[in-house]
Amino acid sequence: MRTINRCPDELRLLAYLDGDLGDGPRVEIEKHLAGCPECLENLVIAKETDMPTKKGLWNGLIEFAKKNRWLLASGLSFGLSFALPRYFLQFLTATVILSLKWIFDSRATKTLIMIHNAWKERDNKGLHRIMDRIDIKK
Amino acid sequence: MRRFKPDPAGDRRLVEGCLRGEDFAWDNFIRRFSPLIFWAAQKRLKRWSIDLPWDEIDEIRQNLFLRIYEKCALKGLKKKERVAVWLALVTCNEVATYLRKNKYLRRPTPSHKILYSESAAISPKVSVLLEDALAALPHRERLIIKLKFMEKYSYRQISELIRIPIGTVAISLMRGKSKLRKELKKRGMEGSLK
Ligand SMILES: [Zn+2]
């Protein structure tokens, strides 16, 4: 229903939103959205109608637990090391292994590796780059 | 939008009923989606800071249903369960058409003033400069900057919309911001970009 400025029509924007377009057409729409505030705002409004029904607290907890299962396991193991002093060292080792697992599973990995490399090379510029990177993640 | 609950399966049945010309299907369609259309129309108007009297918004709503009916527009909708999102987009365009026809709207209003500071209104000159500086950026960085600073989207929301990893969003944003700063300097503006 819209013809001005060769703006994509509603069906096309919907296809974009749903990820139904090939790479070429996708980039075309992206270029258009970057330069056409009207279409971008329309898309943002339409996306608001699209909010999933609110997740229950329980589902949220399960999702969190799944995402951070290694962290939770390491916390549990840390607690157990005090609860069962006889196996203190064993549980402490498990804690370290599990938290390493968590670090390497999470998105923090890349940053950690970068910090390690920069530290090894005493690369100040690199460190600043990482600081930017950390800052921007907040 | 308190009165509109998402119901993809129900919406699909409703649209199919309309297409088959079932009794009352069209009435139900209008009843179901009118609140959504009012909501989307008001959102669209608010973003242009335009106040329309209620009866004019209702006129837009009626025109919209009439046009969908006359043009058999529902036939073209492949994903019938997505009719609500599609209708929101159609509503936005219907509002724009109405405003242009009635001279409420001369040209798309630049809404990028929020990039600078939310409260202080910036002069048209500065806003042109800013748009000009933004135009020098690659399209993806420009899009991400607009989503982040104007729409207040989170990294996750941006990554879901553009369908790129969150890390890529963060890096593009960082690059985009530093490029924008350079472009603004070139144009003699030293504003602080959050
Ligand atoms: Zn457009």
Side-chain angles (χ1 to χ4, degrees), chain A residues 2 4-8 13 32-33 35-40 42, chain B residues 93:
Chain A
R2 184 170 165 75
I4 323 165
N5 295 334
R6 281 183 286 142
C7 285
L13 281 180
H32 183 83
L33 290 174
C36 177
E38 187 174 331
C39 281
L40 183 61
N42 291 355
Chain B
N93 283 335

Side-chain angles (χ1 to χ4, degrees), chain A residues 3 36 62 125 128:
Chain A
T3 45
C36 177
I62 291 176
K125 231 175 164 184
H128 279 296

